[in-house]
Amino acid sequence: MSWNLEKIRNDFPILSTEMNGKPLVFLDSAASSQKPKSVIDTIRHYYEAENANIHRGVYSLSQKATEKYEMTRIKTSRFIGAACAKVVIFTRNTTESINLVAQSWGRTNIHEGDEIVLTELEHHSNLVPWQMLAQEKQAVLKFIPLNQDSTLDLSNIDEIITERVKLVAVAQMSNVTGTIHDLDAIIRRARQVGAKVLVDGAQGICHLPTNVQKQDFDFYAFSAHKMLGPTGVGILYAKEEILDTMPPWMGGGDMISKVWKEKSTYADLPARLEAGTPNISGVIGFGAALEYLESVGMQEIRNHELELLQYALDRLEDFGGLELYGTSDLSKRGGVISFNFPGVHPHDVGSILDEEGIAIRVGHHCAQPFMEFKGIAGTCRASFYLYNTKEDVDALLVGLKKVKEIFGRVLKR
Amino acid sequence: MSLSDSLYQEVLLDHYQNPRHHGRLEHAHLHEEGVNPLCGDEVELFLELEGNTISKISFWGKGCSISQASASMLTDSLYGKTLDEARSLLHEFKEMLLEDKEPNFAEEYEDLESLEAVKKIPARIKCATLAWNTLERILKKNH
């Protein structure tokens, strides 16, 4: 499909609605993307015509639902460049995917005195599970520091990623500053010391062409809801030889091979790591989201976001008086802009923009260590996706002008 | 008047920019901390008593204009008042914001009415009530 922004916007019903009596300007896709009609229709169709539990029924309806569910696993593996479908595990969200690694692989492989390396820009979901594991195992957390422009300072990477490190867990792209990390350099060093690499792809997969085999990720975690799919579906990819060694982390239905009163044996992959009835409609809807993204093209989406990002950064710099965070090197940045009016709390900015129909995210964005690093309470964050336009950016600027008028006398510069 | 214009009135911005009774009291008889964890707003209240009367009061905190202005207004309202008067004002304030009652504050408390507009932005009510919830815990402890 050639790039047709008008057609894309028409595919998303919510974009023609109003918020507080004004046309909706949605600039919070980094929190959760909007959904195209094809995804909404697929979920509706499942409940209207295909609803049944999967993997159990001998009747046709159940078989059909199972096929559709498993077809999404195949589509997902192709989308991320995995070798086969059974290395795709469905969870509820990115957070659960990371917790799965921590609880299953981590509890088996991390021991007292081992080290886990994170960065100072991690989302809480790629921080707290490792804090919990480190406390349980008496392991040590280490952090790759940041440069002032929010890129990673990799100058001492050999001293940080040492022989004691068992895992490096890093985001593909920051949800706060949009920084796209230099994963190649990190993975190269991890290989030298035999450490595994977990990539939190929650923000990356939806915006950047990604290939888990070419990029040599050991673990890759992400969510459907940030990539046009429904909420409640997360994905964990891991190399097959790693998944083969991972014990179940939740017990129950579907993950078993045979059950006696006192013990059980466990199913093969991927069922071993998927206990209980999953989010069937969500996974099937996610399949439609992947089709939509493929029909538009990930490189085309990236190009569009870069154009918007450049336009928005230029206009925000011209606006004056704003503190902007993140690198100006757009090859290292996705379509996320965090900023502040010095002297005005982000929540006040968010409320005033809300009244103008403009949805942005304000606060600490579940990345409090970064806020501490910058010495701020939070930021205002505008994030872009394939359906955003330069007019959305213009609307944001009009809203910010209103903030400036209202808060003029308390602004610090 | 638009919603944000009615909320961000002169009186609120004045309390935000020039908070009254701001700082910590070293010898406070009563002290409590309040936090809204999702937004990170913080307020600490310090009260010194002479008998049943609040002889000194201060707050320290960080956060949005509404949370900090509300804390400033609270301290301004309660300075020199008794704990029973504090209870009564707390009740009246929470009725205004949480039970949709028309405010009818005595003239000396009328700054508080500027916070009524927060009702129209439900997501921000917790900002306005942070200091008052903190006061409520102090008063319960001292009942």
Tab-separated table of all heavy atoms in Angstrom, chain A residues 227-275:
chain	number	residue	atom	x	y	z
A	227	MET	N	0.542	-1.502	19.385
A	227	MET	CA	0.752	-1.695	17.944
A	227	MET	C	-0.567	-2.002	17.253
A	227	MET	O	-0.654	-2.930	16.463
A	227	MET	CB	1.820	-2.759	17.685
A	227	MET	CG	1.617	-4.057	18.423
A	227	MET	SD	3.075	-5.136	18.466
A	227	MET	CE	3.435	-5.409	16.752
A	228	LEU	N	-1.579	-1.195	17.590
A	228	LEU	CA	-2.902	-1.222	16.962
A	228	LEU	C	-3.778	-2.383	17.419
A	228	LEU	O	-4.916	-2.506	16.995
A	228	LEU	CB	-2.818	-1.228	15.419
A	228	LEU	CG	-1.877	-0.228	14.767
A	228	LEU	CD1	-2.016	-0.312	13.233
A	228	LEU	CD2	-2.148	1.184	15.218
A	229	GLY	N	-3.252	-3.263	18.262
A	229	GLY	CA	-4.020	-4.412	18.723
A	229	GLY	C	-4.753	-4.117	20.018
A	229	GLY	O	-4.633	-3.031	20.591
A	230	PRO	N	-5.536	-5.103	20.495
A	230	PRO	CA	-6.299	-4.915	21.726
A	230	PRO	C	-5.415	-4.975	22.978
A	230	PRO	O	-4.274	-5.430	22.910
A	230	PRO	CB	-7.272	-6.096	21.719
A	230	PRO	CG	-6.665	-7.099	20.813
A	230	PRO	CD	-5.798	-6.377	19.842
A	231	THR	N	-5.966	-4.517	24.097
A	231	THR	CA	-5.248	-4.646	25.367
A	231	THR	C	-5.339	-6.088	25.845
A	231	THR	O	-6.194	-6.860	25.403
A	231	THR	CB	-5.861	-3.743	26.452
A	231	THR	OG1	-7.259	-4.048	26.547
A	231	THR	CG2	-5.691	-2.276	26.111
A	232	GLY	N	-4.458	-6.453	26.756
A	232	GLY	CA	-4.532	-7.782	27.360
A	232	GLY	C	-3.801	-8.861	26.589
A	232	GLY	O	-3.984	-10.047	26.867
A	233	VAL	N	-2.971	-8.467	25.617
A	233	VAL	CA	-2.163	-9.456	24.897
A	233	VAL	C	-0.711	-8.994	24.911
A	233	VAL	O	-0.388	-7.924	24.390
A	233	VAL	CB	-2.618	-9.618	23.427
A	233	VAL	CG1	-1.695	-10.602	22.693
A	233	VAL	CG2	-4.057	-10.111	23.363
A	234	GLY	N	0.136	-9.792	25.537
A	234	GLY	CA	1.568	-9.535	25.497
A	234	GLY	C	2.257	-10.681	24.778
A	234	GLY	O	1.660	-11.740	24.565
A	235	ILE	N	3.494	-10.428	24.395
A	235	ILE	CA	4.238	-11.454	23.659
A	235	ILE	C	5.622	-11.576	24.272
A	235	ILE	O	6.260	-10.570	24.594
A	235	ILE	CB	4.376	-11.088	22.152
A	235	ILE	CG1	2.995	-10.963	21.503
A	235	ILE	CG2	5.207	-12.151	21.414
A	235	ILE	CD1	2.400	-9.603	21.511
A	236	LEU	N	6.059	-12.809	24.436
A	236	LEU	CA	7.463	-13.042	24.757
A	236	LEU	C	8.057	-13.918	23.668
A	236	LEU	O	7.550	-15.012	23.390
A	236	LEU	CB	7.628	-13.755	26.107
A	236	LEU	CG	9.101	-14.119	26.393
A	236	LEU	CD1	9.933	-12.870	26.650
A	236	LEU	CD2	9.218	-15.086	27.554
A	237	TYR	N	9.126	-13.409	23.049
A	237	TYR	CA	9.934	-14.237	22.156
A	237	TYR	C	11.210	-14.589	22.907
A	237	TYR	O	11.753	-13.752	23.649
A	237	TYR	CB	10.301	-13.473	20.869
A	237	TYR	CG	11.544	-14.034	20.207
A	237	TYR	CD1	11.464	-15.110	19.325
A	237	TYR	CD2	12.816	-13.523	20.506
A	237	TYR	CE1	12.608	-15.654	18.752
A	237	TYR	CE2	13.957	-14.064	19.939
A	237	TYR	CZ	13.848	-15.128	19.068
A	237	TYR	OH	14.979	-15.680	18.524
A	238	ALA	N	11.674	-15.812	22.749
A	238	ALA	CA	13.027	-16.140	23.214
A	238	ALA	C	13.600	-17.179	22.266
A	238	ALA	O	12.860	-17.903	21.584
A	238	ALA	CB	13.013	-16.665	24.648
A	239	LYS	N	14.916	-17.244	22.224
A	239	LYS	CA	15.555	-18.264	21.392
A	239	LYS	C	15.093	-19.643	21.867
A	239	LYS	O	14.945	-19.876	23.081
A	239	LYS	CB	17.071	-18.150	21.521
A	239	LYS	CG	17.641	-16.942	20.804
A	239	LYS	CD	19.151	-16.869	21.022
A	239	LYS	CE	19.732	-15.684	20.264
A	239	LYS	NZ	21.120	-15.386	20.674
A	240	GLU	N	14.919	-20.545	20.913
A	240	GLU	CA	14.335	-21.844	21.261
A	240	GLU	C	15.174	-22.593	22.297
A	240	GLU	O	14.635	-23.200	23.221
A	240	GLU	CB	14.175	-22.696	19.994
A	240	GLU	CG	13.373	-23.958	20.248
A	240	GLU	CD	13.091	-24.746	18.973
A	240	GLU	OE1	13.328	-24.221	17.865
A	240	GLU	OE2	12.645	-25.899	19.105
A	241	GLU	N	16.510	-22.506	22.158
A	241	GLU	CA	17.344	-23.262	23.111
A	241	GLU	C	17.205	-22.704	24.531
A	241	GLU	O	17.421	-23.428	25.509
A	241	GLU	CB	18.809	-23.294	22.663
A	241	GLU	CG	19.541	-21.964	22.654
A	241	GLU	CD	19.518	-21.286	21.289
A	241	GLU	OE1	18.552	-21.515	20.510
A	241	GLU	OE2	20.450	-20.511	20.998
A	242	ILE	N	16.851	-21.441	24.648
A	242	ILE	CA	16.627	-20.879	25.994
A	242	ILE	C	15.250	-21.303	26.504
A	242	ILE	O	15.105	-21.782	27.635
A	242	ILE	CB	16.734	-19.337	25.976
A	242	ILE	CG1	18.122	-18.908	25.498
A	242	ILE	CG2	16.451	-18.765	27.361
A	242	ILE	CD1	18.281	-17.399	25.326
A	243	LEU	N	14.240	-21.155	25.663
A	243	LEU	CA	12.874	-21.533	26.080
A	243	LEU	C	12.815	-23.002	26.495
A	243	LEU	O	12.099	-23.367	27.429
A	243	LEU	CB	11.892	-21.290	24.923
A	243	LEU	CG	11.427	-19.857	24.698
A	243	LEU	CD1	10.575	-19.786	23.437
A	243	LEU	CD2	10.647	-19.312	25.891
A	244	ASP	N	13.585	-23.838	25.789
A	244	ASP	CA	13.582	-25.276	26.100
A	244	ASP	C	13.983	-25.554	27.546
A	244	ASP	O	13.563	-26.547	28.132
A	244	ASP	CB	14.541	-26.013	25.147
A	244	ASP	CG	13.847	-26.393	23.843
A	244	ASP	OD1	12.598	-26.469	23.842
A	244	ASP	OD2	14.544	-26.592	22.828
A	245	THR	N	14.815	-24.678	28.097
A	245	THR	CA	15.305	-24.920	29.468
A	245	THR	C	14.434	-24.244	30.519
A	245	THR	O	14.692	-24.394	31.712
A	245	THR	CB	16.730	-24.353	29.635
A	245	THR	OG1	16.657	-22.909	29.550
A	245	THR	CG2	17.673	-24.892	28.564
A	246	MET	N	13.426	-23.464	30.075
A	246	MET	CA	12.672	-22.675	31.056
A	246	MET	C	11.522	-23.483	31.661
A	246	MET	O	10.655	-23.963	30.939
A	246	MET	CB	12.138	-21.382	30.412
A	246	MET	CG	13.241	-20.338	30.236
A	246	MET	SD	12.806	-18.939	29.187
A	246	MET	CE	11.381	-18.249	30.002
A	247	PRO	N	11.505	-23.595	32.994
A	247	PRO	CA	10.410	-24.328	33.638
A	247	PRO	C	9.125	-23.503	33.638
A	247	PRO	O	9.179	-22.281	33.493
A	247	PRO	CB	10.920	-24.517	35.072
A	247	PRO	CG	11.856	-23.378	35.291
A	247	PRO	CD	12.484	-23.076	33.970
A	248	PRO	N	7.973	-24.152	33.803
A	248	PRO	CA	6.712	-23.389	33.900
A	248	PRO	C	6.793	-22.400	35.059
A	248	PRO	O	7.497	-22.644	36.037
A	248	PRO	CB	5.666	-24.454	34.215
A	248	PRO	CG	6.297	-25.749	33.911
A	248	PRO	CD	7.780	-25.570	34.023
A	249	TRP	N	6.077	-21.310	34.924
A	249	TRP	CA	6.053	-20.353	36.046
A	249	TRP	C	4.654	-20.222	36.609
A	249	TRP	O	4.467	-19.798	37.733
A	249	TRP	CB	6.623	-19.014	35.613
A	249	TRP	CG	5.706	-18.205	34.740
A	249	TRP	CD1	5.134	-18.614	33.574
A	249	TRP	CD2	5.257	-16.881	34.969
A	249	TRP	NE1	4.366	-17.614	33.051
A	249	TRP	CE2	4.437	-16.528	33.881
A	249	TRP	CE3	5.496	-15.938	35.972
A	249	TRP	CZ2	3.829	-15.283	33.790
A	249	TRP	CZ3	4.890	-14.703	35.872
A	249	TRP	CH2	4.055	-14.384	34.789
A	250	MET	N	3.669	-20.626	35.816
A	250	MET	CA	2.308	-20.686	36.349
A	250	MET	C	1.749	-22.064	36.023
A	250	MET	O	1.907	-22.550	34.892
A	250	MET	CB	1.421	-19.614	35.711
A	250	MET	CG	1.750	-18.214	36.172
A	250	MET	SD	0.392	-17.046	35.882
A	250	MET	CE	0.394	-16.929	34.126
A	251	GLY	N	1.115	-22.674	37.018
A	251	GLY	CA	0.556	-24.009	36.795
A	251	GLY	C	-0.930	-23.928	36.528
A	251	GLY	O	-1.587	-22.967	36.930
A	252	GLY	N	-1.463	-24.925	35.843
A	252	GLY	CA	-2.900	-24.945	35.600
A	252	GLY	C	-3.226	-25.705	34.341
A	252	GLY	O	-2.456	-26.569	33.919
A	253	GLY	N	-4.338	-25.301	33.722
A	253	GLY	CA	-4.759	-25.974	32.503
A	253	GLY	C	-3.855	-25.639	31.335
A	253	GLY	O	-3.120	-24.645	31.364
A	254	ASP	N	-3.881	-26.481	30.340
A	254	ASP	CA	-3.207	-26.251	29.055
A	254	ASP	C	-1.691	-26.417	29.080
A	254	ASP	O	-1.083	-26.674	28.053
A	254	ASP	CB	-3.531	-24.853	28.504
A	254	ASP	CG	-4.329	-24.947	27.207
A	254	ASP	OD1	-4.954	-26.004	26.998
A	254	ASP	OD2	-4.309	-23.994	26.427
A	255	MET	N	-1.059	-26.205	30.254
A	255	MET	CA	0.407	-26.250	30.285
A	255	MET	C	0.911	-27.634	30.684
A	255	MET	O	2.104	-27.839	30.829
A	255	MET	CB	0.992	-25.163	31.207
A	255	MET	CG	0.391	-25.022	32.576
A	255	MET	SD	0.814	-26.351	33.724
A	255	MET	CE	2.524	-25.912	34.058
A	256	ILE	N	-0.012	-28.584	30.826
A	256	ILE	CA	0.375	-29.897	31.338
A	256	ILE	C	0.488	-30.924	30.202
A	256	ILE	O	-0.063	-30.748	29.123
A	256	ILE	CB	-0.646	-30.423	32.370
A	256	ILE	CG1	-2.094	-30.253	31.840
A	256	ILE	CG2	-0.503	-29.672	33.651
A	256	ILE	CD1	-2.664	-31.404	31.140
A	257	SER	N	1.218	-31.984	30.501
A	257	SER	CA	1.215	-33.134	29.615
A	257	SER	C	0.323	-34.201	30.242
A	257	SER	O	-0.633	-34.678	29.644
A	257	SER	CB	2.653	-33.632	29.435
A	257	SER	OG	2.666	-34.850	28.770
A	258	LYS	N	0.638	-34.562	31.501
A	258	LYS	CA	-0.173	-35.545	32.210
A	258	LYS	C	-0.201	-35.177	33.692
A	258	LYS	O	0.814	-34.706	34.225
A	258	LYS	CB	0.453	-36.932	32.017
A	258	LYS	CG	-0.457	-38.092	32.366
A	258	LYS	CD	0.063	-39.374	31.729
A	258	LYS	CE	-0.535	-40.625	32.332
A	258	LYS	NZ	-1.963	-40.631	32.522
A	259	VAL	N	-1.340	-35.392	34.319
A	259	VAL	CA	-1.485	-34.991	35.720
A	259	VAL	C	-1.928	-36.181	36.565
A	259	VAL	O	-2.906	-36.862	36.231
A	259	VAL	CB	-2.519	-33.849	35.863
A	259	VAL	CG1	-2.711	-33.478	37.327
A	259	VAL	CG2	-2.090	-32.626	35.062
A	260	TRP	N	-1.190	-36.448	37.631
A	260	TRP	CA	-1.612	-37.407	38.641
A	260	TRP	C	-2.016	-36.617	39.879
A	260	TRP	O	-1.915	-35.390	39.858
A	260	TRP	CB	-0.456	-38.356	38.998
A	260	TRP	CG	-0.044	-39.240	37.859
A	260	TRP	CD1	-0.513	-40.487	37.561
A	260	TRP	CD2	0.936	-38.933	36.856
A	260	TRP	NE1	0.108	-40.984	36.433
A	260	TRP	CE2	1.003	-40.044	35.981
A	260	TRP	CE3	1.754	-37.839	36.590
A	260	TRP	CZ2	1.855	-40.098	34.886
A	260	TRP	CZ3	2.607	-37.880	35.515
A	260	TRP	CH2	2.654	-38.997	34.659
A	261	LYS	N	-2.397	-37.327	40.948
A	261	LYS	CA	-2.812	-36.577	42.136
A	261	LYS	C	-1.650	-35.801	42.761
A	261	LYS	O	-1.794	-34.691	43.244
A	261	LYS	CB	-3.423	-37.518	43.188
A	261	LYS	CG	-4.903	-37.724	42.945
A	261	LYS	CD	-5.674	-38.125	44.172
A	261	LYS	CE	-5.107	-39.347	44.832
A	261	LYS	NZ	-6.063	-39.966	45.773
A	262	GLU	N	-0.474	-36.377	42.742
A	262	GLU	CA	0.661	-35.758	43.438
A	262	GLU	C	1.618	-35.004	42.528
A	262	GLU	O	2.430	-34.233	42.996
A	262	GLU	CB	1.444	-36.800	44.239
A	262	GLU	CG	0.876	-37.075	45.622
A	262	GLU	CD	-0.330	-38.004	45.550
A	262	GLU	OE1	-0.395	-38.799	44.593
A	262	GLU	OE2	-1.206	-37.910	46.419
A	263	LYS	N	1.592	-35.278	41.249
A	263	LYS	CA	2.574	-34.616	40.373
A	263	LYS	C	2.025	-34.492	38.956
A	263	LYS	O	0.999	-35.095	38.628
A	263	LYS	CB	3.886	-35.414	40.371
A	263	LYS	CG	3.719	-36.823	39.818
A	263	LYS	CD	5.047	-37.473	39.494
A	263	LYS	CE	4.792	-38.788	38.778
A	263	LYS	NZ	5.901	-39.375	38.133
A	264	SER	N	2.759	-33.710	38.158
A	264	SER	CA	2.351	-33.535	36.759
A	264	SER	C	3.598	-33.508	35.880
A	264	SER	O	4.696	-33.197	36.348
A	264	SER	CB	1.629	-32.197	36.570
A	264	SER	OG	0.519	-32.122	37.427
A	265	THR	N	3.401	-33.795	34.636
A	265	THR	CA	4.457	-33.512	33.660
A	265	THR	C	3.925	-32.399	32.765
A	265	THR	O	2.718	-32.186	32.671
A	265	THR	CB	4.804	-34.756	32.821
A	265	THR	OG1	3.592	-35.259	32.245
A	265	THR	CG2	5.465	-35.817	33.672
A	266	TYR	N	4.868	-31.728	32.119
A	266	TYR	CA	4.473	-30.495	31.453
A	266	TYR	C	4.506	-30.607	29.943
A	266	TYR	O	5.249	-31.400	29.372
A	266	TYR	CB	5.366	-29.348	31.936
A	266	TYR	CG	5.339	-29.208	33.432
A	266	TYR	CD1	6.503	-29.269	34.172
A	266	TYR	CD2	4.124	-29.067	34.103
A	266	TYR	CE1	6.468	-29.168	35.557
A	266	TYR	CE2	4.074	-28.982	35.475
A	266	TYR	CZ	5.250	-29.029	36.205
A	266	TYR	OH	5.202	-28.947	37.563
A	267	ALA	N	3.714	-29.756	29.342
A	267	ALA	CA	3.574	-29.763	27.883
A	267	ALA	C	4.831	-29.212	27.211
A	267	ALA	O	5.687	-28.598	27.845
A	267	ALA	CB	2.366	-28.908	27.490
A	268	ASP	N	4.918	-29.411	25.908
A	268	ASP	CA	6.003	-28.823	25.128
A	268	ASP	C	5.712	-27.340	24.911
A	268	ASP	O	4.618	-26.845	25.195
A	268	ASP	CB	6.100	-29.524	23.764
A	268	ASP	CG	6.609	-30.947	23.919
A	268	ASP	OD1	7.335	-31.210	24.901
A	268	ASP	OD2	6.261	-31.797	23.072
A	269	LEU	N	6.661	-26.664	24.316
A	269	LEU	CA	6.467	-25.260	23.945
A	269	LEU	C	5.412	-25.162	22.844
A	269	LEU	O	5.320	-26.083	22.047
A	269	LEU	CB	7.784	-24.666	23.420
A	269	LEU	CG	8.880	-24.494	24.450
A	269	LEU	CD1	10.161	-24.076	23.747
A	269	LEU	CD2	8.472	-23.465	25.486
A	270	PRO	N	4.716	-24.085	22.764
A	270	PRO	CA	4.699	-22.954	23.702
A	270	PRO	C	3.738	-23.161	24.874
A	270	PRO	O	3.724	-22.358	25.800
A	270	PRO	CB	4.215	-21.803	22.814
A	270	PRO	CG	3.319	-22.471	21.812
A	270	PRO	CD	3.865	-23.847	21.577
A	271	ALA	N	2.952	-24.253	24.842
A	271	ALA	CA	1.882	-24.426	25.849
A	271	ALA	C	2.436	-24.427	27.275
A	271	ALA	O	1.775	-23.958	28.206
A	271	ALA	CB	1.110	-25.717	25.575
A	272	ARG	N	3.680	-24.946	27.443
A	272	ARG	CA	4.226	-25.056	28.804
A	272	ARG	C	4.244	-23.706	29.530
A	272	ARG	O	4.168	-23.658	30.758
A	272	ARG	CB	5.649	-25.625	28.735
A	272	ARG	CG	6.190	-25.985	30.112
A	272	ARG	CD	7.496	-26.772	30.048
A	272	ARG	NE	8.608	-25.942	29.665
A	272	ARG	CZ	9.333	-26.124	28.560
A	272	ARG	NH1	9.047	-27.118	27.732
A	272	ARG	NH2	10.337	-25.351	28.278
A	273	LEU	N	4.368	-22.644	28.772
A	273	LEU	CA	4.461	-21.318	29.412
A	273	LEU	C	3.163	-20.515	29.283
A	273	LEU	O	3.129	-19.317	29.567
A	273	LEU	CB	5.645	-20.543	28.825
A	273	LEU	CG	7.008	-21.199	29.103
A	273	LEU	CD1	8.108	-20.568	28.264
A	273	LEU	CD2	7.372	-21.128	30.580
A	274	GLU	N	2.088	-21.166	28.854
A	274	GLU	CA	0.801	-20.461	28.723
A	274	GLU	C	-0.276	-21.209	29.501
A	274	GLU	O	-0.981	-22.038	28.935
A	274	GLU	CB	0.385	-20.365	27.244
A	274	GLU	CG	1.214	-19.420	26.417
A	274	GLU	CD	0.756	-19.370	24.947
A	274	GLU	OE1	-0.295	-19.930	24.601
A	274	GLU	OE2	1.492	-18.764	24.150
A	275	ALA	N	-0.400	-20.922	30.794
A	275	ALA	CA	-1.393	-21.631	31.607
A	275	ALA	C	-2.763	-20.976	31.496
A	275	ALA	O	-2.869	-19.751	31.472
A	275	ALA	CB	-0.940	-21.656	33.056
